[in-house]
Amino acid sequence: MDLARTEVAARTRRSAAARLGLVAVPVAFFAVFFAYPVAAIVARGLRVDGAWQFGRLWEVLGQSDIRHVLWFTTWQALVSTALTLLVALPGAYVFARFEFPGKQILRAVVIVPFVLPTVVVGTAFLALVGRGGLMDELWGVRLDTTVWAILLAHVFFNYAVVVRTVGGLWAQLDPRQEEAARMLGASRLAAWRTVTLPALAPAVAAAALMVFLFTFTSFGVVQILGGPTFSTLEVEIYRQTSEIFDLPTAAVLTLIQFLAVGAILALHAWTVRRRESALRLVDASATARRPRGAGQWALLAGVLVTIVVLLLLPLAVLVQRSFDAPDFGFYRALTSEEGGIFLVPPIDAIGNSLQYAVAATAIAVVIGGLAAAALTRRDAGRFVRGFDALLMLPLGVSAVTVGFGFLIALDEPPLDLRASWILVPLAQALVGVPFVVRTMLPVLRAVDQRLREAAAVLGASPWRVWREVDLPMVRRALLIAAGFAFAVSLGEFGATVFIARPDNPTLPVAVARLLGRAGELNYGQAMALSTILMVVCAVALLVLERLRTDRTGEF
């Protein structure tokens, strides 16, 4: 009996030590490379001669131009979210309920805009609606530097969020429930409103909050398409930091955005919990079938036209503009150092981006994998569960703040990294970790805990339990997580624009710099680099689609 108690106590101590070890590395990583830089730049802006200047908050909010930025940031995010839901919900229904040729390929096409860097999205719409763009050539209409260009680009970018999130749940709803309501006398609209809509509501709310988060913190799209007229909080933080050098104002705006993002993430976590509860109550069987009747075929045709016009046309125009010069002139110009924009030929940005993305992916997979493993343990404490929400913060906190915080915080031993190449992958990994966690967490939670317990009883160490039990089951999810981390790292712009060295620019930074210079050659090179970046992201996405084992539509 005493021997058994001793063995149980020993296993409990090993379990506690394993849990602490799993969470210690991610906590340390986020503390050093996220919390510390953000706190450093905020403190630099709000602390003068050792005293905190919180009164600066009211001074900044009292400025009319700042209030205009706050108002524009909020209302454009609300309108972008509403437009995205309006345009994408029919697509969610079509992908959930209809079976048609080429559906799987179209699913991959739909998600391409979401993994594209925002710089590419802005460049694509610039080629479509900007000066000399397709609409300008055909009808003499320009939409760049107008709010419509920003709104359309946001719908383009977030279309997949609604289609995949809402469509995934819609495919799991048993259509017989709605049919039963109609047999009892309800009209088609009444049956949908009383049966299907309440079941879809948590997924719609979760998708809407995600879209609002991405549009509320929009940077690259507004920076390229908004011109000097429109500015979101993220763009204004960049302007105050890099152009005006007003750190107090930038610090105040960072705090405002931080609080707003925290509230959005809290709402998102609540809606996700509601959604998970709803999913346990419904039939998850496959329900897709060929369209029936003229109405359903018309709906399918309308969705296909929307995808072609909204998603494919901007990308096609981007590619076409990159080939405007004869003999691949814009692509050949990427190999030249002439022009003075870069210290190296622009083509070097491709190799730089790939190297940085590979390093960032390795970091994100290690940190995100450890965090996901800690979050799946049944003995995880309240602190570990709270860390789950904190992992999402890098997606909403100003990347500009993080990038500039790296410069002012990581400049003294033992963390003097300003001259080190690793600084860029570290910043990119912060964005990749949440995708790794969200991809691996559902799979890890699906592993039967009894398998782990049986291995532990037989004397396996925590590391061997992970290697022998968890890893074989999550290997494919791990590859998918690595693919997402690679794609988002490749396109990270907000932080990288501050810390990428002039002799080692990344693709998004190179595109932004080329667009910032006048001249047809610079514009054409920006289109060429954007096309290359789009192709690399699309290839990574197609590999992900082939690896996917879960067709529920979750990101």
Side-chain angles (χ1 to χ4, degrees):
M1 182 66 71
D2 291 339
L3 183 61
R5 290 176 179 173
T6 302
E7 180 62 24
V8 170
R11 285 205 304 268
T12 301
R13 287 193 298 269
R14 287 198 300 268
S15 179
R19 182 179 70 249
L20 182 61
L22 287 173
V23 78
V25 175
V27 167
F29 177 81
F30 274 83
V32 174
F33 298 113
F34 178 68
Y36 176 49
V38 171
I41 192 172
V42 172
R44 181 73 64 91
L46 294 181
R47 197 172 184 181
V48 180
D49 297 329
W52 291 96
Q53 304 293 325
F54 289 109
R56 180 66 176 167
L57 175 64
W58 308 114
E59 294 179 14
V60 171
L61 292 177
Q63 300 175 19
S64 59
D65 56 336
I66 297 298
R67 290 199 303 269
H68 175 75
V69 168
L70 292 173
W71 169 243
F72 175 74
T73 301
T74 304
W75 84 258
Q76 67 81 23
L78 289 171
V79 175
S80 295
T81 302
L83 284 176
T84 303
L85 290 174
L86 181 65
V87 173
L89 281 177
Y93 176 80
V94 165
F95 280 99
R97 295 301 198 198
F98 292 168
E99 193 64 50
F100 51 91
K103 179 178 177 180
Q104 296 306 324
I105 295 177
L106 203 61
R107 281 171 58 89
V109 169
V110 163
I111 201 176
V112 165
F114 181 74
V115 300
L116 286 180
T118 55
V119 171
V120 174
V121 174
T123 307
F125 273 82
L126 195 64
L128 179 64
V129 303
R131 181 175 59 86
L134 181 63
M135 292 179 61
D136 190 15
E137 290 182 353
L138 294 179
W139 303 296
V141 176
R142 288 180 53 190
L143 294 179
D144 60 323
T145 69
T146 70
V147 71
W148 280 108
I150 295 172
L151 296 177
L152 288 174
H154 283 163
V155 175
F156 168 90
F157 184 77
N158 293 290
Y159 184 90
V161 175
V162 177
V163 168
R164 308 268 312 223
T165 304
V166 179
L169 177 58
W170 214 330
Q172 294 176 317
L173 297 181
D174 189 348
R176 291 174 297 181
Q177 297 177 356
E178 189 172 322
E179 293 170 1
R182 295 197 63 193
M183 290 181 63
L184 294 174
S187 65
R188 183 182 297 274
L189 178 60
W192 182 86
R193 180 173 52 83
T194 57
V195 177
T196 305
L197 183 59
L200 286 176
V204 174
L209 284 168
M210 288 181 67
V211 174
F212 185 85
L213 174 64
F214 291 137
T215 53
F216 186 84
T217 57
S218 182
F219 177 55
V221 167
V222 180
Q223 179 81 347
I224 292 174
L225 296 176
T229 307
F230 301 104
S231 179
T232 57
L233 269 174
E234 188 84 354
V235 174
E236 187 65 20
I237 291 171
Y238 174 79
R239 191 175 74 89
Q240 295 288 341
T241 303
S242 63
E243 299 177 9
I244 303 178
F245 304 107
D246 187 350
L247 286 185
T249 299
V252 169
L253 296 179
T254 297
L255 286 176
I256 293 172
Q257 183 166 315
F258 183 82
L259 293 174
V261 167
I264 295 169
L265 291 177
L267 279 172
H268 181 264
W270 179 68
T271 56
V272 167
R273 285 196 297 270
R274 288 184 60 203
R275 178 185 175 189
E276 290 174 347
S277 297
L279 284 175
R280 289 193 292 267
L281 301 176
V282 301
D283 184 359
S285 59
T287 57
R289 53 176 172 75
R290 290 182 62 84
R292 300 173 183 171
Q296 292 188 355
W297 281 107
L299 176 61
L300 175 59
V303 169
L304 294 178
V305 169
T306 299
I307 292 174
V308 170
V309 174
L310 180 66
L311 305 186
L312 297 184
L313 182 60
L315 300 181
V317 174
L318 171 66
V319 175
Q320 183 268 325
R321 286 289 186 268
S322 73
F323 288 102
D324 270 355
D327 300 324
F328 304 97
F330 292 143
Y331 287 91
R332 288 191 294 107
L334 296 177
T335 62
S336 173
E337 297 182 32
E338 297 179 4
I341 299 179
F342 305 101
L343 300 178
V344 295
I347 197 71
D348 286 5
I350 300 174
N352 296 334
S353 287
L354 292 175
Q355 293 173 17
Y356 288 144
V358 168
T361 300
I363 297 171
V365 167
V366 172
I367 300 299
L370 291 173
L375 292 169
T376 57
R377 296 184 67 89
R378 288 185 176 181
D379 54 355
R382 184 176 300 176
F383 170 76
V384 176
R385 291 192 295 269
F387 186 59
D388 183 18
L390 295 178
L391 291 171
M392 294 291 290
L393 283 179
L395 293 181
V397 173
S398 169
V400 171
T401 299
V402 174
F404 194 65
F406 269 36
L407 292 182
I408 67 173
L410 305 179
D411 63 342
E412 296 179 358
L415 288 174
D416 187 1
L417 301 177
R418 283 193 300 178
S420 174
W421 67 273
I422 196 65
L423 205 60
V424 174
L426 286 172
Q428 294 174 344
L430 283 172
V431 183
V433 167
F435 286 91
V436 174
V437 173
R438 291 301 158 210
T439 302
M440 294 187 64
L441 203 55
V443 181
L444 283 171
R445 284 175 173 165
V447 177
D448 193 339
Q449 180 66 20
R450 291 173 296 183
L451 296 176
R452 300 187 182 108
E453 294 171 352
V457 168
L458 293 174
S461 64
W463 164 246
R464 188 173 181 183
V465 171
W466 161 257
R467 189 179 72 243
E468 301 291 342
V469 176
D470 292 73
L471 185 58
M473 297 184 180
V474 303
R475 184 181 291 113
R476 191 166 293 183
L478 188 63
L479 292 174
I480 294 172
F484 271 120
F486 179 81
V488 299
S489 299
L490 197 66
E492 204 287 322
F493 175 61
T496 308
V497 71
F498 274 97
I499 57 182
R501 296 167 55 180
D503 57 340
N504 286 289
T506 63
L507 278 169
V509 172
V511 170
R513 289 179 183 173
L514 286 167
L515 287 175
R517 295 291 187 95
E520 182 181 357
L521 181 61
N522 292 328
Y523 179 83
Q525 289 183 88
M527 296 293 160
L529 279 180
S530 296
T531 300
I532 293 171
L533 185 52
M534 178 185 70
V535 170
V536 174
C537 290
V539 169
L541 175 66
L542 290 174
V543 173
L544 289 183
E545 282 296 315
R546 292 184 64 87
L547 288 173
R548 288 185 66 89
T549 57
D550 176 16
R551 295 291 178 178
T552 62
E554 293 288 342
F555 278 103

